[in-house]
Amino acid sequence: SNAHTNAYIVVLTKSLFMLVVTILYVCIYRLMQQRQSIVIENERLKTEYLTTRYNMLMGQINPHFFFNSLNSLAMLVRGGDEPRALEYIDQLSYTFRYILQGGQNTMTTLREEIDFARSYAYLFKIRYADKLFFDFDIEEQYLTWRLPALSLQPLLGNAVKHNTITTRQPLHVAIRVVDGKLEVENPKYPKLDVEPSTGIGLANLSSRWQIITGRDIEIIEDEHRFMVRLPLEPQK
Protein backbone atom coordinates (compact mmCIF):
# COMPACT_ATOMS: atom_id res chain seq x y z
CA SER A 1 0.00 0.00 0.00
CA ASN A 2 0.94 3.64 -0.39
CA ALA A 3 1.19 4.06 3.42
CA HIS A 4 3.67 1.19 3.71
CA THR A 5 5.62 2.47 0.72
CA ASN A 6 5.82 6.00 2.17
CA ALA A 7 6.88 4.63 5.55
CA TYR A 8 9.55 2.52 3.87
CA ILE A 9 10.84 5.57 1.94
CA VAL A 10 10.95 7.64 5.14
CA VAL A 11 12.88 4.93 6.99
CA LEU A 12 15.21 4.45 4.01
CA THR A 13 15.77 8.22 3.72
CA LYS A 14 16.54 8.52 7.44
CA SER A 15 18.90 5.55 7.24
CA LEU A 16 20.69 6.98 4.23
CA PHE A 17 20.87 10.38 5.96
CA MET A 18 22.37 8.80 9.09
CA LEU A 19 24.80 6.81 6.93
CA VAL A 20 25.92 9.97 5.09
CA VAL A 21 26.28 11.87 8.38
CA THR A 22 28.31 9.00 9.85
CA ILE A 23 30.58 8.85 6.78
CA LEU A 24 31.04 12.63 6.88
CA TYR A 25 31.81 12.49 10.60
CA VAL A 26 34.39 9.75 10.04
CA CYS A 27 35.94 11.71 7.15
CA ILE A 28 36.08 14.93 9.18
CA TYR A 29 37.54 13.07 12.16
CA ARG A 30 40.24 11.50 9.98
CA LEU A 31 41.01 14.86 8.36
CA MET A 32 41.34 16.46 11.80
CA GLN A 33 43.65 13.64 12.88
CA GLN A 34 45.75 14.07 9.74
CA ARG A 35 45.86 17.83 10.25
CA GLN A 36 46.90 17.37 13.87
CA SER A 37 49.60 14.93 12.78
CA ILE A 38 50.86 17.42 10.20
CA VAL A 39 50.92 20.22 12.80
CA ILE A 40 52.82 18.02 15.26
CA GLU A 41 55.27 16.93 12.55
CA ASN A 42 55.82 20.53 11.42
CA GLU A 43 56.51 21.59 15.01
CA ARG A 44 58.92 18.68 15.40
CA LEU A 45 60.76 19.59 12.20
CA LYS A 46 60.79 23.27 13.20
CA THR A 47 62.26 22.45 16.62
CA GLU A 48 64.76 20.04 15.07
CA TYR A 49 65.82 22.65 12.51
CA LEU A 50 66.20 25.42 15.08
CA THR A 51 68.20 23.11 17.34
CA THR A 52 70.50 22.24 14.44
CA ARG A 53 71.01 25.91 13.52
CA TYR A 54 71.58 26.80 17.16
CA ASN A 55 74.20 24.08 17.52
CA MET A 56 75.91 25.38 14.37
CA LEU A 57 75.86 28.88 15.86
CA MET A 58 77.33 27.59 19.11
CA GLY A 59 80.06 25.84 17.14
CA GLN A 60 80.83 29.12 15.40
CA ILE A 61 80.94 31.16 18.60
CA ASN A 62 82.82 28.95 21.01
CA PRO A 63 86.27 28.38 19.43
CA HIS A 64 87.12 31.82 18.01
CA PHE A 65 85.15 34.07 20.32
CA PHE A 66 86.19 32.22 23.47
CA PHE A 67 89.86 32.19 22.40
CA ASN A 68 89.86 35.95 21.70
CA SER A 69 88.03 36.63 24.96
CA LEU A 70 90.64 34.73 26.96
CA ASN A 71 93.40 36.66 25.21
CA SER A 72 91.74 39.96 26.17
CA LEU A 73 91.32 38.79 29.76
CA ALA A 74 94.95 37.69 29.91
CA MET A 75 95.98 41.15 28.64
CA LEU A 76 94.07 42.81 31.50
CA VAL A 77 95.56 40.43 34.09
CA ARG A 78 99.11 40.93 32.81
CA GLY A 79 98.56 44.69 32.92
CA GLY A 80 97.59 44.46 36.59
CA ASP A 81 94.18 46.03 35.88
CA GLU A 82 92.20 44.00 38.44
CA PRO A 83 88.95 46.06 38.41
CA ARG A 84 88.62 45.84 34.62
CA ALA A 85 89.62 42.17 34.65
CA LEU A 86 86.86 41.39 37.16
CA GLU A 87 84.35 43.43 35.15
CA TYR A 88 85.44 41.56 32.02
CA ILE A 89 84.86 38.20 33.73
CA ASP A 90 81.36 39.33 34.79
CA GLN A 91 80.47 40.44 31.26
CA LEU A 92 81.95 37.29 29.71
CA SER A 93 79.99 35.12 32.14
CA TYR A 94 76.74 36.95 31.38
CA THR A 95 77.37 36.70 27.63
CA PHE A 96 77.89 32.94 27.66
CA ARG A 97 74.94 32.38 29.99
CA TYR A 98 72.68 34.27 27.59
CA ILE A 99 74.05 32.34 24.60
CA LEU A 100 73.35 29.02 26.34
CA GLN A 101 69.84 30.12 27.32
CA GLY A 102 69.21 31.39 23.79
CA GLY A 103 68.92 27.82 22.57
CA GLN A 104 66.05 27.21 24.99
CA ASN A 105 64.18 30.53 24.71
CA THR A 106 63.13 31.04 21.10
CA MET A 107 61.79 34.56 21.65
CA THR A 108 63.01 37.23 24.06
CA THR A 109 62.31 40.87 24.83
CA LEU A 110 64.32 43.63 23.23
CA ARG A 111 65.41 44.70 26.74
CA GLU A 112 67.05 41.30 27.34
CA GLU A 113 68.61 41.26 23.87
CA ILE A 114 70.04 44.77 24.34
CA ASP A 115 71.43 43.87 27.78
CA PHE A 116 73.19 40.95 26.13
CA ALA A 117 74.41 43.13 23.25
CA ARG A 118 75.93 45.65 25.68
CA SER A 119 77.87 42.87 27.43
CA TYR A 120 78.91 41.35 24.11
CA ALA A 121 79.98 44.78 22.85
CA TYR A 122 81.99 45.39 26.04
CA LEU A 123 84.14 42.33 25.30
CA PHE A 124 84.97 43.72 21.83
CA LYS A 125 85.66 47.22 23.18
CA ILE A 126 88.29 45.90 25.58
CA ARG A 127 90.03 44.19 22.67
CA TYR A 128 89.88 47.24 20.38
CA ALA A 129 90.39 49.93 23.08
CA ASP A 130 89.27 53.34 21.73
CA LYS A 131 88.88 52.21 18.12
CA LEU A 132 85.43 50.56 18.29
CA PHE A 133 82.15 52.13 19.41
CA PHE A 134 78.63 50.70 19.73
CA ASP A 135 76.01 53.46 19.74
CA PHE A 136 72.71 52.31 21.29
CA ASP A 137 69.63 54.44 20.69
CA ILE A 138 66.57 52.50 21.87
CA GLU A 139 63.35 54.21 22.97
CA GLU A 140 61.82 52.91 26.20
CA GLN A 141 58.52 52.00 24.51
CA TYR A 142 60.21 49.30 22.41
CA LEU A 143 62.01 47.47 25.22
CA THR A 144 59.07 45.12 25.85
CA TRP A 145 58.72 44.23 22.14
CA ARG A 146 59.97 40.76 21.20
CA LEU A 147 62.38 39.16 18.74
CA PRO A 148 64.23 35.85 18.28
CA ALA A 149 66.99 35.48 20.86
CA LEU A 150 70.61 35.93 19.75
CA SER A 151 69.71 38.10 16.76
CA LEU A 152 72.27 40.81 17.52
CA GLN A 153 75.22 38.48 18.09
CA PRO A 154 75.95 37.68 14.41
CA LEU A 155 75.36 41.31 13.34
CA LEU A 156 77.75 42.83 15.88
CA GLY A 157 80.23 40.01 15.31
CA ASN A 158 80.17 40.48 11.52
CA ALA A 159 80.64 44.26 11.80
CA VAL A 160 83.86 43.65 13.73
CA LYS A 161 84.97 40.68 11.63
CA HIS A 162 84.65 42.25 8.18
CA ASN A 163 85.92 45.79 8.77
CA THR A 164 89.30 47.38 9.33
CA ILE A 165 89.37 48.99 12.79
CA THR A 166 92.20 51.40 13.52
CA THR A 167 92.86 54.52 15.61
CA ARG A 168 92.79 56.64 12.45
CA GLN A 169 89.63 54.93 11.22
CA PRO A 170 87.51 53.88 14.20
CA LEU A 171 84.35 51.88 13.61
CA HIS A 172 80.96 53.06 14.89
CA VAL A 173 78.13 50.49 14.94
CA ALA A 174 74.65 51.96 15.41
CA ILE A 175 71.91 49.95 17.10
CA ARG A 176 68.53 51.70 17.03
CA VAL A 177 64.79 51.19 16.53
CA VAL A 178 63.01 53.00 13.70
CA ASP A 179 59.27 52.52 13.10
CA GLY A 180 59.18 49.24 15.04
CA LYS A 181 62.24 47.77 13.31
CA LEU A 182 65.56 47.14 15.00
CA GLU A 183 68.36 48.50 12.82
CA VAL A 184 72.05 47.63 13.01
CA GLU A 185 74.21 49.79 10.74
CA ASN A 186 77.90 50.32 10.23
CA PRO A 187 80.11 52.00 7.64
CA LYS A 188 82.10 49.70 5.36
CA TYR A 189 85.88 49.68 5.81
CA PRO A 190 86.66 46.35 4.10
CA LYS A 191 89.68 44.42 5.32
CA LEU A 192 92.44 43.81 2.79
CA ASP A 193 92.84 40.22 3.99
CA VAL A 194 89.26 39.01 4.27
CA GLU A 195 88.71 36.28 6.85
CA PRO A 196 87.07 33.12 5.50
CA SER A 197 83.34 33.16 6.17
CA THR A 198 81.38 30.17 7.48
CA GLY A 199 78.22 31.51 5.85
CA ILE A 200 76.31 30.76 9.05
CA GLY A 201 75.81 34.30 10.36
CA LEU A 202 73.33 36.14 8.14
CA ALA A 203 71.91 33.00 6.51
CA ASN A 204 71.23 31.52 9.94
CA LEU A 205 69.66 34.76 11.18
CA SER A 206 67.45 35.06 8.11
CA SER A 207 66.19 31.47 8.25
CA ARG A 208 65.62 31.54 12.02
CA TRP A 209 63.66 34.79 11.69
CA GLN A 210 61.48 33.37 8.91
CA ILE A 211 60.72 30.17 10.83
CA ILE A 212 60.10 31.77 14.23
CA THR A 213 58.24 34.94 13.20
CA GLY A 214 57.14 34.27 9.61
CA ARG A 215 58.72 37.59 8.60
CA ASP A 216 61.85 38.48 6.63
CA ILE A 217 64.81 40.57 7.67
CA GLU A 218 65.99 43.37 5.37
CA ILE A 219 69.60 43.71 4.25
CA ILE A 220 70.49 47.15 2.87
CA GLU A 221 73.97 47.55 1.46
CA ASP A 222 75.79 50.00 -0.76
CA GLU A 223 79.39 51.06 -1.33
CA HIS A 224 79.67 52.90 1.96
CA ARG A 225 77.36 51.24 4.51
CA PHE A 226 75.84 47.95 5.60
CA MET A 227 72.53 47.77 7.47
CA VAL A 228 70.17 45.02 8.62
CA ARG A 229 66.59 45.76 9.69
CA LEU A 230 64.74 43.34 11.96
CA PRO A 231 60.93 43.66 12.34
CA LEU A 232 60.03 43.48 16.03
CA GLU A 233 56.91 41.83 17.45
CA PRO A 234 54.78 44.31 19.44
CA GLN A 235 54.03 43.51 23.07
CA LYS A 236 50.73 41.61 23.34
Side-chain angles (χ1 to χ4, degrees), residues 31 51 60 70-71 96 145-146 150 172 183 200 225:
L31 284 173
T51 301
Q60 181 191 26
L70 290 180
N71 276 345
F96 271 92
W145 289 36
R146 299 176 68 79
L150 288 174
H172 282 263
E183 296 183 352
I200 294 175
R225 67 164 183 159

Side-chain angles (χ1 to χ4, degrees), residues 27 88 104 111 131 154 158 160 178 180 198 227:
C27 289
Y88 192 92
Q104 302 165 6
R111 185 191 304 276
K131 301 186 285 288
N158 281 349
V160 175
V178 179
T198 60
M227 180 170 72

Side-chain angles (χ1 to χ4, degrees), residues 48-205:
E48 196 174 89
Y49 177 84
L50 289 174
T51 301
T52 300
R53 299 301 290 189
Y54 172 72
N55 289 336
M56 291 173 69
L57 180 63
M58 286 297 293
Q60 181 191 26
I61 292 172
N62 283 337
H64 306 293
F65 178 64
F66 192 57
F67 178 76
N68 289 330
S69 297
L70 290 180
N71 276 345
S72 297
L73 179 59
M75 176 192 70
L76 293 175
V77 172
R78 283 196 298 268
D81 194 341
E82 183 178 340
R84 291 177 80 196
L86 291 174
E87 174 66 14
Y88 192 92
I89 291 172
D90 285 342
Q91 300 291 355
L92 182 62
S93 174
Y94 176 82
T95 297
F96 271 92
R97 186 166 64 251
Y98 186 87
I99 289 172
L100 290 171
Q101 291 173 345
Q104 302 165 6
N105 304 325
T106 305
M107 295 286 285
T108 189
T109 63
L110 182 58
R111 185 191 304 276
E112 292 172 332
E113 185 75 1
I114 292 298
D115 285 346
F116 159 75
R118 290 185 187 276
S119 293
Y120 189 61
Y122 177 86
L123 303 180
F124 281 120
K125 287 168 69 175
I126 292 296
R127 194 191 316 169
Y128 288 95
D130 297 322
K131 301 186 285 288
L132 177 62
F133 302 90
F134 294 90
D135 306 319
F136 292 89
D137 182 16
I138 310 292
E139 295 177 36
E140 182 77 22
Q141 70 188 76
Y142 290 115
L143 291 176
T144 55
W145 289 36
R146 299 176 68 79
L147 73 165
L150 288 174
S151 292
L152 287 176
Q153 183 276 328
L155 300 181
L156 302 187
N158 281 349
V160 175
K161 178 180 178 180
H162 296 298
N163 289 285
T164 298
I165 304 173
T166 64
T167 303
R168 295 184 60 184
Q169 195 174 58
L171 181 69
H172 282 263
V173 181
I175 302 100
R176 57 181 178 259
V177 177
V178 179
D179 296 330
K181 293 187 177 182
L182 180 62
E183 296 183 352
V184 179
E185 180 180 13
N186 61 268
K188 290 172 67 174
Y189 307 137
K191 288 183 176 180
L192 296 178
D193 53 334
V194 181
E195 296 181 40
S197 175
T198 60
I200 294 175
L202 274 179
N204 183 28
L205 180 64

